[in-house]
Amino acid sequence: MKIGIVSDGQYGERAFEQIRRRFPTEWILLPFPSSPVVDDIDLTIPPCDLYISYIRHPDIAMELVKTGVPILLGVNLGPGFINQAREINPAVIGPETMCSLLPNTKFWQINEYAKVFGRPVFYLILDKERVVWCHPLRGSPCGSTDAAADELNGQQLDMEAMNRFALSICHNCRAPRFGKTCDKEKAGIIHLVELLAALKGVNRELWEKCSQLVDQSTCRVISGS
């Protein structure tokens, strides 16, 4: 499966570097128009099975939608844009964050991608309460999952370590901020929830202890774990 990362130069470079390690991937750079409205767009781009759009201009992004190819919106242009886009191309997905995606859509191309990149899955090896190895089986395309997991190795798994883990996600997250369509803090919470999910299967006593600490410090953002 070939993936095209479509950008106007502001976002997408880190995703390209990560994704190209797992899939044949093309970097597609398009201009960012100075005008708020663009007519007569000539969109000539390499054919791909899936496009991941980091385009900020809605007219250019809509032209990409018209290719009919499945599209992930790395820059979410809002629910109005998504609703309009899906009337043209049902295979347009605007995930809340790029680390919230699951391989459960109706489109095999997006599902194949989301088996590797999306909502994190961690493999944990512990020595009592010390992290021997934290390995992401699936993670964010920006690379923040790998960086934060690596920082956990060798650490005692306590509230301080989990705070550092979540802050590392927020620091390394490349979610663009357009109103409330992307949220670095939400990315941190998603990763923390999934770290606890992995911990539950390894050390239930430590999971209960950490869940209580996280629950108290995050106003009950951890639910259903």
Side-chain angles (χ1 to χ4, degrees):
M1 184 178 75
K2 185 178 179 181
I3 297 176
I5 307 295
V6 190
S7 173
D8 54 31
Q10 184 68 28
Y11 297 106
E13 298 95 334
R14 197 185 297 180
F16 172 65
E17 291 302 323
Q18 293 287 322
I19 294 169
R20 70 190 297 196
R21 299 173 184 174
R22 304 297 297 274
F23 296 98
T25 307
E26 186 103 15
W27 174 255
I28 304 168
L29 186 62
L30 300 178
F32 182 73
S34 57
S35 171
V37 179
V38 181
D39 297 318
D40 301 321
I41 301 169
D42 180 19
L43 189 70
T44 304
I45 58 176
C48 294
D49 299 296
L50 169 67
Y51 292 116
I52 301 178
S53 174
Y54 289 92
I55 296 295
R56 293 172 293 159
H57 196 290
D59 289 343
I60 304 296
M62 191 60 74
E63 200 66 23
L64 182 64
V65 166
K66 292 177 183 177
T67 63
V69 174
I71 293 171
L72 277 175
L73 297 177
V75 171
N76 192 327
L77 297 172
F81 177 88
I82 292 175
N83 291 337
Q84 184 181 355
R86 284 179 179 162
E87 292 179 1
I88 301 169
N89 180 355
V92 175
I93 303 292
E96 190 173 26
T97 67
M98 290 297 281
C99 59
S100 65
L101 187 68
L102 290 169
N104 60 358
T105 74
K106 298 177 181 178
F107 312 104
W108 70 265
Q109 300 93 330
I110 294 175
N111 293 342
E112 284 300 305
Y113 165 84
K115 290 176 184 176
V116 182
F117 297 103
R119 192 172 183 97
V121 176
F122 296 101
Y123 177 73
L124 274 177
I125 297 177
L126 300 179
D127 178 9
K128 297 181 181 179
E129 297 189 0
R130 184 177 65 85
V131 179
V132 175
W133 193 37
C134 180
H135 175 63
L137 302 176
R138 180 174 63 208
S140 168
C142 69
S144 61
T145 309
D146 292 337
D150 188 59
E151 291 170 12
L152 271 180
N153 292 329
Q155 301 297 311
Q156 194 80 4
L157 194 55
D158 52 20
M159 194 64 236
E160 183 180 351
M162 289 187 293
N163 277 336
R164 287 197 304 269
F165 172 80
L167 287 171
S168 176
I169 295 295
C170 294
H171 175 74
N172 289 295
C173 178
R174 293 285 291 173
R177 292 184 179 274
F178 286 85
K180 295 185 177 180
T181 61
C182 294
D183 193 320
K184 294 174 183 288
E185 290 75 20
K186 190 163 291 183
I189 291 172
I190 288 171
H191 278 74
L192 199 53
V193 169
E194 297 307 329
L195 179 65
L196 287 173
L199 178 60
K200 185 178 182 180
V202 177
N203 186 328
R204 190 174 183 89
E205 183 178 345
L206 181 58
W207 166 76
E208 290 177 350
K209 175 182 172 182
C210 290
S211 294
Q212 290 174 2
L213 291 172
V214 170
D215 193 43
Q216 293 167 6
S217 65
T218 57
C219 300
R220 301 188 179 278
V221 297
I222 308 300
S223 60
S225 298

